[in-house]
Amino acid sequence: EKEKTEKEEQANYIKEILSSEENIKKEMIKDVLTIKEEYGDSRRTKNINLDFSSEAEDAEPIEKKELLIHYTNLGNLYTTESTTLLRTRRGTKGTKVKLAANEVITQTLRDDNFSSLLVFSNKGTMYHIATDDLPLNSKINIAQLFEFKPDEKPTALTTIQKRDNIDYFIFITKQGMVKKTLAKEYNVRKGRNIKAINLKEGDEVIKVLFVNNEDISLLTNNGNFIRFATDEITPIGRAAAGVKGVKLNEGDFVVSAYVTPAQGKFLVTVSENGIVKKTSLDEYPIGSRAIKGRKISEVKDKDKIVDYLILNEDHDIIIIVNKKTIKINTSELRELSRSAIGVKGVDLKDNEKVIGLIQEDIE
């Protein structure tokens, strides 16, 4: 009898709801509010701005992703989505990129997939590709992305985001020429490549430095080192040749160049035979461009300095050998004078020689 009474009351209540559209809406609102009260929580999905414009009618909008683009000494690119990286405690190993035995990351760029990767070659050409076209979580050699000419290789990489944060591109050539051009001149929308600099016969680009009028430095094959300011160099057009940066002896040529940090303290050099030396940067004062500079270090047994780094403080550095790599911290090196030779930094076997030096965790 009690159950019968409850069912009749429920039936009458439902008939009343169904008797008008207004009652139905009120009941629906009440049910939604009940669900909200019981199960509601803060939003867990993100509203993403997918502004996208293209001339192609069939273009589809893409989701914006933050990317880390790693470039290695073997010319490989490895792109990961930074938002997929898990935050770890300080001191843990972190997320590793699968590298070959003699491979190290020489540069890491941070940008998004709405940007473009800009690649400058030794032949004076700038190539570019949409960052969204780079394969995620897999290695690809940069030569697979662009149609390089014979003997052409990349010398510097940047992205649009990085370019927008600096004022000038400075090109350093093997024959000692220096060209300073406004970064905005390399804002290219069409084609896969453009001419970045006009090179003389037999010359090639050694480095492209991205600066806001910082000082720069150059090293020659004969071991001459020169530092000079760039704010006095007049910016010129994209395809121009530039001005003389260093005076070269017969047969000498530029082998390396870097931006000098404002708080630069140490100059660390490495020779072809693995001799490493740390010297105070004060021993290499800023001079004028188009001079020979001074000897960066003494060497013996026909050895030669192949690369250098300018550091603000002691740091882990990686010595790149043609068949292996070794990491040391510069705190292990005693500060020596410019005329000193240095100490052995790596034990080399037959047919092994040092080819470069990088600071770990470069970005």
Side-chain angles (χ1 to χ4, degrees), residues 172-224:
I172 313 294
T173 78
K174 189 174 182 178
Q175 294 180 5
M177 300 299 290
V178 175
K179 192 198 78 160
K180 177 180 175 182
T181 303
L182 287 168
K184 64 183 182 182
E185 290 209 25
Y186 296 89
N187 185 8
V188 183
R189 297 184 181 276
K190 295 182 179 179
R192 292 294 296 272
N193 62 80
I194 60 169
K195 189 173 185 179
I197 181 175
N198 187 24
L199 294 170
K200 295 180 181 179
E201 184 69 27
D203 203 2
E204 62 180 293
V205 177
I206 296 298
K207 278 283 185 76
V208 183
L209 306 177
F210 312 112
V211 304
N212 292 315
N213 275 329
E214 295 93 338
D215 300 337
I216 64 172
S217 54
L218 281 68
L219 172 66
T220 76
N221 186 60
N222 288 346
N224 290 332

Side-chain angles (χ1 to χ4, degrees), residues 194-350:
I194 60 169
K195 189 173 185 179
I197 181 175
N198 187 24
L199 294 170
K200 295 180 181 179
E201 184 69 27
D203 203 2
E204 62 180 293
V205 177
I206 296 298
K207 278 283 185 76
V208 183
L209 306 177
F210 312 112
V211 304
N212 292 315
N213 275 329
E214 295 93 338
D215 300 337
I216 64 172
S217 54
L218 281 68
L219 172 66
T220 76
N221 186 60
N222 288 346
N224 290 332
F225 180 79
I226 181 175
R227 287 175 62 196
F228 57 88
T230 61
D231 56 358
E232 297 179 359
I233 302 176
T234 303
I236 54 179
R238 191 179 70 203
V243 296
K244 183 174 288 188
V246 58
K247 187 177 181 181
L248 299 172
N249 291 326
E250 184 71 25
D252 200 8
F253 54 90
V254 176
V255 294
S256 191
Y258 292 100
V259 176
T260 303
Q263 304 299 321
K265 185 177 179 181
F266 300 120
L267 181 73
V268 179
T269 61
V270 66
S271 76
E272 190 174 61
N273 291 337
I275 302 300
V276 183
K277 189 180 75 170
K278 180 172 72 173
T279 311
S280 171
L281 190 61
D282 293 337
E283 294 211 35
Y284 306 90
I286 297 176
S288 303
R289 65 172 181 83
I291 62 174
K292 289 185 179 181
R294 55 169 56 187
K295 282 288 183 182
I296 196 169
S297 178
E298 290 296 324
V299 293
K300 63 179 181 179
D301 300 330
K302 296 183 180 180
D303 197 7
K304 63 179 181 180
I305 305 299
V306 293
D307 207 354
Y308 68 97
L309 289 173
I310 298 176
L311 305 176
N312 297 338
E313 58 187 11
D314 284 317
H315 202 283
D316 285 342
I317 60 174
I318 297 174
I319 302 170
I320 304 175
V321 185
N322 55 342
K323 295 183 180 180
K324 61 185 178 184
T325 59
I326 182 171
K327 180 169 70 173
I328 64 172
N329 192 285
T330 56
S331 62
E332 302 171 15
L333 303 175
R334 184 165 57 91
E335 191 173 320
L336 301 174
S337 67
R338 182 176 65 88
S339 59
I341 293 177
V343 297
K344 181 177 288 190
V346 56
D347 188 22
L348 301 177
K349 298 179 180 179
D350 292 341

Side-chain angles (χ1 to χ4, degrees), residues 15-52:
K15 287 178 181 177
E16 184 180 353
I17 293 173
L18 297 175
S19 65
S20 72
E21 185 176 351
E22 185 179 353
N23 289 343
I24 293 174
K25 289 180 179 179
K26 286 181 180 179
E27 189 67 18
M28 290 173 64
I29 291 172
K30 187 175 76 172
D31 287 349
V32 169
L33 292 176
T34 300
I35 294 171
K36 177 184 176 183
E37 182 67 25
E38 187 173 354
Y39 301 106
D41 57 10
S42 58
R43 186 183 185 100
R44 284 176 287 178
T45 55
K46 221 179 246 188
N47 289 321
I48 300 175
N49 181 9
L50 292 178
D51 289 340
F52 182 86

Side-chain angles (χ1 to χ4, degrees), residues 52-71:
F52 182 86
S53 60
S54 172
E55 296 178 0
E57 294 182 0
D58 59 347
E60 296 181 1
I62 55 178
E63 179 185 356
K64 188 173 183 179
K65 300 176 182 177
E66 296 298 323
L67 304 177
L68 290 175
I69 305 169
H70 304 289
Y71 182 64

